[in-house]
Amino acid sequence: MRLKRFSALVAALVLTGVLAACGQSGAQSGDGLTLTLGDQANGLQTLLNAAHVLDGTSYHVKWAEFQGAAPLFQAMQGGQVDTGYAADLPTLQAISGKLPIKLVGALQGSGAGTAILVRDDSSVHSVTDLKGKTVVVSSARGSIAEYLLAKVLQDNGLKFSDVTVQYVLPTAAQAAFNSGQTEIWATFDPYHSIGLASGGRVLVDGTQGRVSGVGFVSAAESSLADPAKKSAITDFLQRLARAEAWASANADQYAQVYAKTNGVAPDIAKKVVEHGQTAAGPVTPQIVTTVQGVADLMHGIGALPTDVRVADVTDTSVYH
């Protein structure tokens, strides 16, 4: 109960306070148009700034940072953010909740950044050992961490109802995990890598197809309806692709920038970079098919209230 109260307080603080701390990216020449980019845990902002791909844009860039996808999409609902970046399931969850957004770009990775962690001294050594246990999931219903949990339970002959789930924002969950109050934590980077460095071990991660490894850049329909903003979003997606290519070719340099920017230890930064996305591009038919499988599984267990058709919420005209 204490964890739930604390996470609710953190959620409120994140939602009301994060936009006040939004940062302007530093090297734009602008004609008055501002593109507000929703981000999680400084992920995209660190990447694009490290690669210096935002230099010389014809629009201003404003970053809106969030701990997780749920408060990010709440800000999009309020019209405060033009684009969002999140894994496939939280994006589907937002769409299922009738958020008016379209999928405009995709980032592909191995899924290694998502994991179920247990304390080093835990008696849990296999997925089947989770039966009857409480699992803390970051950050809210419909997160990529929840999908990993649902998938591995299904793959091992268990039902989602065989575990008790608590939804806790990452920083609160991290504190509880570090102190030993939480034994089992389903989470994502950078919290995954921080948890490993704080007395945790990986029970199972998202590789080998357990999660799709797909992250989506989504755009508010209202922003896409503005020709100038739609053009800026297209430009941003092209710059994001160049940034991912740079990071793949300069992993060590990127890890150093990540560590300095985010105040984490170099070994944690290196892990985050290793686990991260490796390419950015359009939402291809293959990606649509893969993510439709995610939507179908989660709708089947009731985690998605509506049956989302991924192709119907994809706008391929933006990425060109």
Side-chain angles (χ1 to χ4, degrees), residues 66-123:
F66 303 87
Q67 280 191 49
L72 188 163
F73 287 124
Q74 288 178 51
M76 291 189 80
Q77 181 72 59
Q80 299 162 307
V81 179
D82 294 305
T83 71
Y85 166 62
D88 51 10
L89 181 58
T91 305
L92 295 172
Q93 181 78 9
I95 293 167
S96 185
K98 307 304 182 184
L99 181 67
I101 59 175
K102 295 292 186 183
L103 310 179
V104 296
L107 295 91
Q108 183 65 60
S110 68
T114 307
I116 299 174
L117 306 181
V118 296
R119 295 288 307 172
D120 242 350
D121 56 358
S122 172
S123 61

Side-chain angles (χ1 to χ4, degrees), residues 215-291:
F216 284 118
V217 177
S218 57
E221 290 183 357
S222 58
S223 299
L224 294 175
D226 179 332
K229 279 199 172 181
K230 183 176 180 179
S231 178
I233 292 169
T234 295
D235 180 75
F236 161 66
L237 291 172
Q238 293 168 347
R239 291 170 187 267
L240 175 58
R242 296 202 299 271
E244 285 290 358
W246 174 86
S248 293
N250 300 275
D252 289 342
Q253 183 179 347
Y254 178 37
Q256 291 172 12
V257 174
Y258 189 97
K260 182 177 180 180
T261 301
N262 296 287
V264 300
D267 58 332
I268 292 175
K270 185 176 181 180
K271 281 292 184 185
V272 171
V273 170
E274 287 175 358
H275 292 164
Q277 312 291 351
T278 56
V283 183
T284 64
Q286 181 180 355
I287 288 173
V288 169
T289 299
T290 297
V291 176

Side-chain angles (χ1 to χ4, degrees), residues 46 57 108 135 170 179 201 212 215 219 244 254 262 312:
T46 301
T57 61
Q108 183 65 60
V135 182
S179 68
R201 56 181 165 85
S212 71
E244 285 290 358
Y254 178 37
N262 296 287
D312 294 345

Side-chain angles (χ1 to χ4, degrees), residues 5 45-46 65 71 75 92 111 121 192 199 218 223 240 243 258 272 287 294 296-297 314-315 319:
R5 287 198 299 268
Q45 181 172 191
T46 301
E65 292 294 344
L92 295 172
D121 56 358
H192 164 196
S218 57
S223 299
L240 175 58
Y258 189 97
V272 171
I287 288 173
V294 175
D296 293 345
L297 187 154
T314 299
D315 187 340
Y319 203 109

